[in-house]
Amino acid sequence: MKKRLIISNYIMIIVPVVVIIMLGIGLISLLDITGTMRQQEVTLLWPKDSRALVMQLTLNTLHKKVNKAEKEDIVEECANLDRQGIKTRAVERGQILYQSSTFQEQDLWKYGDSRHKGNFLIWNEKGLFFQIYNQQRAILVEGGGNIPFLVHEPSRGNFWYYAIQGLLLGALFLTLAIIVLMGLFLSHTISKQIILPLRELQKAAEAIGKGNFGYPLHIRAHDEIGQVCQRFEYMRLQLKLAKEEEARYENNRKELIAGISHDLSTPLTAVKGYATGILDGIAKTPEKQKHYLQRIVQASDNMEKLVESLFLFSKLDLQKLPFHLEKVDLRRYFVDYFNEQRSIWQERGLSLSLHLQVAKAWVQVDRLQLQRVIENICKNTLKYRRAQTIPQLSITLEQIDNSIKIQFVDDGIGVQQEELQKIFDSFYRTDKARTDVAKGSGLGLAIVKKIILTMQGKIWVRYSPSYC
């Protein structure tokens, strides 16, 4: 592209020069065709030799007119010569068509020999004498005057002559310099606007190719190149986010595998231990055998719940769990749920309270999945209760702008500030050693988040010291 730009700039310089030359050639050709009709232009273009050039053009035109026997044009050209100081006479078959007022035939002899018949031109240092003869029509045009062929140079003391000549040469060189400098300026400007952004774009592309998505592309141009760079920067940011999301998913996958392995190995070990105890005869009495069997059933229930939660989470993650959205009044929904489930949760050791700050709250939700959300949060409150106390869970509905906010607040043991961002991660538990399998696998709140997001909602958690 840089070579193309350089070639383009050279063309910008060469083309004007060629055009000027062609215009000059065309102008000279036009003057040659039109003859004395362009005398003023010749005088302006060549002031030093204008009289001689005009004379040549006029004589050339007159010769063509005599050969064509165009009387009016012959008279006009003779008058032009007369005005330029050439005494002229035109005769057709003895009849005078035109004759200068001071024309004397003997005056022509000092310029040349008029006794010759035919066409000839004598132009030397003494002056000019010509004769044009059309034998068929018997037209004779002759004339002469004191116009020497050699034009003397103006006096070297003529200040204005040299001043004008210097100005013309200066203007010529200044024009050429402006053309060259303008070409260089345009080349530098175009290079700055195109080449440099493309180089930055190339560096960014190489960085992304090496896996470095943190290489910023700072392009402030607003033209087409700038728009391309902006779209590239947008693509880089999207790739960076995708890479971070991929890393996060990979980390979650590793935690998921580790969590499943740990949470399954503990009950499996218990099942194996109790079963071995029965087979080896350790549990000899019926009471002890019953106790071992109860432990085996309990461990099996824990594994079953874990597999069910994992299966549900996987379907939510793959978006293969069907949702049946319908328009529901959340106020009525929570009132019905509170009336039906309050006593059940009370028996399980959880005290529920409902606070309604909205009259109507119509939203699109799946009733079954919303109930799963409420139950998972309630179970989470029971699992992380304070010792020797009845856990309290407060549910509040309020309207904020065009949205309905559902707030769950409990008086449990709480979560450290640095762990709040991880609370919705799959298989995350504040018990990092995961010693108490009965408290679940860490999928409950992760499932809650998946359900809320699938129903086009938002979910977040914050620390409330007044309830802790």
Side-chain angles (χ1 to χ4, degrees):
M1 182 173 288
K2 186 175 181 180
K3 293 181 180 179
R4 294 178 182 177
L5 292 176
I6 293 175
I7 293 174
S8 300
N9 289 320
Y10 282 143
I11 292 176
M12 291 173 58
I13 297 174
I14 295 173
V15 169
V17 174
V18 173
V19 171
I20 291 174
I21 294 175
M22 293 180 64
L23 287 175
I25 295 174
L27 180 61
I28 293 174
S29 301
L30 183 63
L31 291 174
D32 182 66
I33 295 173
T34 57
T36 56
M37 296 294 290
R38 301 296 179 186
Q39 293 178 11
Q40 294 181 355
E41 287 80 350
V42 174
T43 303
L44 291 173
L45 291 173
W46 299 285
K48 175 181 174 182
D49 304 324
S50 60
R51 191 175 184 187
L53 291 172
V54 170
M55 190 64 63
Q56 294 177 31
L57 291 172
T58 305
L59 290 174
N60 183 52
T61 305
L62 179 61
H63 186 273
K64 294 178 181 178
K65 301 301 181 184
V66 171
N67 290 334
K68 293 181 181 181
E70 298 176 356
K71 296 181 181 180
E72 295 181 357
D73 294 336
I74 293 173
V75 172
E76 181 181 356
E77 298 301 329
C78 289
N80 288 332
L81 290 173
D82 195 2
R83 286 192 293 270
Q84 297 176 49
I86 302 298
K87 299 175 182 180
T88 309
R89 178 177 63 181
V91 180
E92 181 183 13
R93 301 186 188 278
Q95 181 181 358
I96 297 177
L97 300 177
Y98 180 86
Q99 181 173 305
S100 300
S101 59
T102 58
F103 180 83
Q104 296 293 332
E105 185 174 356
Q106 59 272 17
D107 292 338
L108 300 179
W109 295 348
K110 60 182 179 180
Y111 303 114
D113 189 355
S114 62
R115 291 171 295 179
H116 296 88
K117 294 296 183 180
N119 298 318
F120 60 88
L121 171 66
I122 300 174
W123 196 356
N124 51 35
E125 68 277 1
K126 294 181 180 180
L128 168 67
F129 173 70
F130 71 90
Q131 183 174 285
I132 304 174
Y133 181 65
N134 186 338
Q135 184 176 3
Q136 183 179 0
R137 298 294 300 273
I139 298 177
L140 175 65
V141 180
E142 57 184 351
N146 187 20
I147 299 179
F149 179 74
L150 298 175
V151 180
H152 299 286
E153 292 288 333
S155 173
R156 295 187 180 274
N158 191 337
F159 170 77
W160 291 109
Y161 170 78
Y162 288 107
I164 294 173
Q165 188 180 50
L167 288 175
L168 291 176
L169 290 175
L172 176 61
F173 286 113
L174 180 62
T175 302
L176 293 176
I178 290 175
I179 292 175
V180 173
L181 292 176
M182 184 62 67
L184 294 176
F185 172 75
L186 291 176
S187 176
H188 175 73
T189 302
I190 295 175
S191 175
K192 184 177 180 181
Q193 294 178 351
I194 298 179
I195 302 299
L196 294 181
L198 288 179
R199 287 178 180 174
E200 289 295 323
L201 192 63
Q202 181 182 4
K203 292 180 181 178
E206 291 176 353
I208 291 177
K210 295 177 181 179
N212 180 16
F213 296 95
Y215 187 90
L217 186 62
H218 301 292
I219 301 296
R220 299 180 180 179
H222 299 287
D223 53 8
E224 291 80 0
I225 298 294
Q227 293 175 2
V228 171
C229 293
Q230 291 175 5
R231 298 304 301 174
F232 186 89
E233 177 67 7
Y234 175 78
M235 180 194 70
R236 182 191 69 82
L237 294 175
Q238 295 300 314
L239 288 175
K240 182 180 179 182
L241 292 176
K243 193 69 175 179
E244 293 174 352
E245 189 73 10
E246 181 182 354
R248 189 174 66 84
Y249 276 125
E250 180 65 18
N251 186 57
N252 289 343
R253 185 185 67 83
K254 293 179 180 179
E255 291 183 357
L256 180 66
I257 294 174
I260 292 174
S261 301
H262 186 279
D263 289 350
L264 284 177
S265 64
T266 301
L268 281 175
T269 302
V271 169
K272 181 179 180 181
Y274 288 120
T276 302
I278 295 175
L279 291 175
D280 292 344
I282 298 176
K284 297 180 179 180
T285 64
E287 291 78 10
K288 202 167 186 179
Q289 291 178 353
K290 181 179 180 181
H291 174 73
Y292 275 36
L293 290 174
Q294 288 176 345
R295 291 292 184 178
I296 292 174
V297 171
Q298 184 180 1
S300 300
D301 289 340
N302 290 336
M303 285 191 293
E304 183 180 9
K305 291 178 181 178
L306 174 61
V307 172
E308 289 178 355
S309 298
L310 182 60
F311 182 66
L312 175 61
F313 179 80
S314 300
K315 292 182 69 175
L316 287 169
D317 196 35
L318 297 173
Q319 299 180 355
K320 292 187 176 181
L321 185 68
F323 275 71
H324 304 286
L325 299 179
E326 56 181 313
K327 194 172 183 180
V328 176
D329 181 7
L330 285 183
R331 176 187 173 90
R332 173 53 54 189
Y333 180 88
F334 273 91
V335 168
D336 294 341
Y337 181 85
F338 186 77
N339 293 333
E340 295 175 2
Q341 301 293 326
R342 180 184 181 185
S343 58
I344 298 176
W345 286 110
Q346 188 77 34
E347 293 176 359
R348 299 175 63 178
L350 177 63
S351 176
L352 292 178
S353 61
L354 181 63
H355 307 279
L356 303 173
Q357 300 178 10
V358 292
K360 294 288 184 180
W362 294 97
V363 294
Q364 292 283 343
V365 296
D366 185 312
R367 291 176 177 269
L368 180 60
Q369 299 304 329
L370 182 58
Q371 181 177 347
R372 192 189 301 273
V373 168
I374 301 172
E375 290 178 352
N376 281 4
I377 295 176
C378 291
K379 291 177 182 178
N380 198 72
T381 300
L382 279 174
K383 292 174 186 176
Y384 298 97
R385 60 193 296 177
R386 292 179 182 271
Q388 307 302 324
T389 61
I390 299 177
Q392 305 287 328
L393 179 61
S394 172
I395 305 174
T396 304
L397 267 69
E398 60 179 321
Q399 183 167 354
I400 300 178
D401 297 330
N402 295 326
S403 301
I404 301 299
K405 177 182 176 182
I406 308 172
Q407 181 174 270
F408 296 87
V409 181
D410 64 20
D411 60 347
I413 60 176
V415 179
Q416 297 298 325
Q417 190 72 29
E418 60 273 10
E419 296 179 341
L420 287 177
Q421 296 180 352
K422 301 179 181 179
I423 199 170
F424 292 112
D425 292 346
S426 58
F427 278 91
Y428 175 77
R429 279 167 45 183
T430 54
D431 176 19
K432 297 182 180 179
R434 309 181 73 90
T435 56
D436 191 356
V437 181
K439 286 189 175 181
S441 60
L443 286 174
L445 292 182
I447 291 174
V448 167
K449 182 178 179 180
K450 289 287 184 182
I451 293 174
I452 294 298
L453 293 180
T454 304
M455 294 192 297
Q456 305 299 317
K458 297 180 181 178
I459 187 169
W460 65 93
V461 62
R462 62 185 178 88
Y463 183 71
S464 300
S466 59
Y467 290 94
C468 297

